[in-house]
Amino acid sequence: MTLDPPTDITLIDRTVITNIGGASPSTGVFVAPVAGVYYFTIFFHAGGKYEALLRLYKNNELVVVTYDHRCTSDSADNGGNAVWGSDYPTTFSGFLVTEM
């Protein structure tokens, strides 16, 4: 199944595992609490039935893309730049590397 036309949706994590600093998880948009260098990872799991595409933006500028095409020959399609966890198949993580 392909969305026609493609629809962009801001993902909002329903489960927050760790939130040091109290960032608001309710919007799906991360706002840096201090100026600095941050490290982010994204990961997704799609069951193969659907096309999947994740984009990571910084101030409305595209930084990273990961995607997987719809496929019927396998049942587990993954993409990203992070480690998959069986309880949380789509994740967004980040941390402050250094303040500026």
Side-chain angles (χ1 to χ4, degrees), residues 32-73:
V34 297
V37 175
Y38 289 81
Y39 175 83
F40 295 103
T41 63
I42 56 175
F43 184 86
F44 74 88
H45 172 79
K49 279 171 80 171
Y50 304 100
E51 184 174 282
L53 170 68
L54 288 181
R55 295 183 189 117
L56 181 65
Y57 290 87
K58 176 186 175 194
N59 298 329
N60 295 317
E61 182 179 326
L62 183 62
V63 177
V64 174
V65 175
T66 184
Y67 62 90
D68 188 74
H69 300 285
R70 187 176 112 176
C71 178
T72 57
S73 63

